Amino acid sequence: MSAPSSTGPADPMARPGPPEDNRRDPGPPPARPEITALPDYSSARAGSVPITIRASSNEAPFGPGALVVDAVTERLRSAHRYPELGAVTLTRAIAEQLGLDPDQVVAADGSLSLLNYLLISHCRPGSTVVHPWRSYEAYPICIRTAHAEPRAAANLPDGSHDLAAMAAAIGPDTAAVILCSPNNPTGAGLSHDAVAAFLAEVPPSVLVVLDQAYVDFVTDPQAVRGLELLPAHPNLVLLRTLSKAYGLAGLRIGHLLAHPQLCRAVRKIVPPFAVSALAETAALAALVDLPHRDRIVTAVIDQRGPVTELLRRHGLPVVPSEANFVWLPLGDRAAEFGARCADAGLGTRVFDGEGVRISLGEPDLPTRLSSIVSGLPEVS
């Protein structure tokens, strides 16, 4: 028998090797360049000792109330069942509490997720979104995720939005404008009259998103009343959350309030079970347990004035706040002060070269801050 020819047909079961120029592993497919270029979401700085007071994430100072704990514990027994589709019961409860129709409310896993869904549903490649700065660091991330371009407008020296500059930044390609009141991280709020005048300048084709994550802590009688503005402005969207005043940050519940047509567009891309069964159960109980919510709000407001006074007395600049945090615009001294806090076991949120945000409400916060700033010169 003759040997098989080396030039005969190839073995159909043989696995060909890769071409010579593809032998090196190229790695996974790259992400979109604008996503790769985004900054990471910041976190609290670690110090030389463990953090014992967490004042970095604007969380509620107390755990959930007994009604929430009991309801969630009971719902856990049926955790093998899917949540309610579209969180319909929660949507109706929120609408009833706020005096709206259920078709004006969308609930999801946090107000930030809802901002993402809203921008994705209304932005096109080449769109621009005007936003304040410094403000919530997630805004530019959400905007670029939606294939749009951020257009930042610098805040005024008092930490509030420069609404005139934001209006001037609106162009033919602008899909949305984001306002944040009280503003995170400066704590400055917008007046009702100022927002009403701003809405009158914005073309009706441009969304105006008013982020009211900290609205429960507002005491200024002149502050913007978003719900009153909704009926006359179909392009207005309000974002709210149960993470702060209701103490449900770990369960992620937020809601969007808007014209029914806008809500329908957002619902089309919200995942079917965006609100977990435990989160919806907790939210329904929290909406009923208003005394617990009031306890959280009172603890924050009662602490806000004394903490502001303490810091100012020791020569530290503090922006008047309407939120559950205070902002120290320390500029180049921000990192040093944040490290001083961390070394004393106090976690804060540091924005290098800009300032430090300190969340309010923890009972031991004033005492710890007093010891931290005791070495700083006092101002008469």
Side-chain angles (χ1 to χ4, degrees), residues 7-375:
T7 59
D11 182 351
M13 300 300 292
R15 294 173 61 91
E20 190 65 30
D21 59 348
N22 284 337
R23 289 184 184 276
R24 292 178 56 191
D25 182 4
R32 289 162 39 202
E34 60 270 32
I35 299 299
T36 304
L38 288 173
D40 294 329
Y41 194 88
S42 65
S43 61
R45 302 287 177 85
S48 58
V49 300
I51 296 298
T52 55
I53 298 181
R54 185 162 142 161
S56 58
S57 298
N58 299 338
E59 298 154 326
F62 314 117
L67 290 180
V68 169
V69 172
D70 291 346
V72 171
T73 301
E74 180 61 30
R75 182 61 178 87
L76 190 60
R77 300 177 188 277
S78 56
H80 59 297
R81 303 297 186 189
Y82 276 108
E84 182 182 45
L85 184 66
V88 174
T89 303
L90 175 59
T91 298
R92 289 173 179 164
I94 292 171
E96 181 178 358
Q97 185 185 73
L98 299 178
L100 299 173
D101 291 327
D103 61 0
Q104 294 177 277
V105 181
V106 184
D109 52 332
S111 57
L112 179 57
S113 290
L114 285 163
L115 177 60
N116 264 320
Y117 301 138
L118 178 68
L119 294 180
I120 290 171
S121 66
H122 284 79
C123 292
R124 300 175 177 84
S127 295
T128 63
V129 177
V130 179
H131 68 94
W133 201 253
R134 162 67 64 175
S135 192
Y136 187 25
E137 62 186 301
Y139 292 155
I141 298 174
C142 292
I143 293 166
R144 291 199 182 277
T145 299
H147 292 275
E149 288 294 321
R151 291 290 180 266
N155 289 329
L156 296 169
D158 65 357
S160 64
H161 298 349
D162 187 341
L163 293 179
M166 297 184 75
I170 296 173
D173 295 326
T174 302
V177 180
I178 301 174
L179 307 177
C180 187
S181 183
N183 184 46
N184 176 16
T186 67
L190 293 168
S191 74
H192 186 81
D193 290 346
V195 175
F198 180 78
L199 284 165
E201 288 189 63
V202 177
S205 59
V206 175
L207 291 174
V208 177
V209 184
L210 177 56
D211 187 344
Q212 295 190 297
Y214 302 96
V215 67
D216 299 279
F217 305 101
V218 172
T219 58
D220 181 4
Q222 304 303 318
V224 58
R225 300 180 298 278
L227 288 173
E228 290 184 19
L229 295 170
L230 273 180
H233 299 282
N235 60 331
L236 177 62
V237 180
L238 307 182
L239 295 177
R240 295 189 175 185
T241 181
L242 300 186
S243 293
K244 317 301 181 186
Y246 291 85
L248 300 182
L251 288 171
R252 309 304 302 134
I253 290 286
H255 47 286
L256 176 153
L257 314 173
H259 188 280
Q261 184 174 322
L262 294 178
C263 290
R264 279 196 296 272
V266 172
R267 284 195 194 96
K268 287 181 180 294
I269 56 175
V270 172
F273 304 109
V275 178
S276 75
L278 299 184
E280 181 175 23
T281 299
L284 289 168
L287 289 174
V288 174
D289 193 1
L290 293 181
H292 187 71
R293 172 212 172 266
D294 292 344
R295 180 181 176 222
I296 293 172
V297 172
T298 299
V300 168
I301 293 174
D302 286 351
Q303 199 179 83
R304 195 162 60 194
V307 165
T308 299
E309 182 181 352
L310 168 68
L311 295 170
R312 285 178 176 167
R313 192 167 64 244
H314 287 84
L316 295 167
V318 185
V319 174
S321 176
E322 285 289 305
N324 67 338
F325 53 83
V326 292
W327 170 248
L328 286 68
L330 293 170
D332 293 340
R333 296 182 293 157
E336 178 186 356
F337 183 78
R340 186 185 182 103
C341 291
D343 288 342
L346 174 64
T348 63
R349 186 62 63 90
V350 178
F351 298 87
D352 285 336
E354 297 181 71
V356 176
R357 191 191 69 195
I358 303 174
S359 304
L360 298 168
E362 296 292 342
D364 295 333
L365 177 65
T367 301
R368 186 67 57 87
L369 274 176
S370 182
S371 66
I372 291 169
V373 301
S374 62

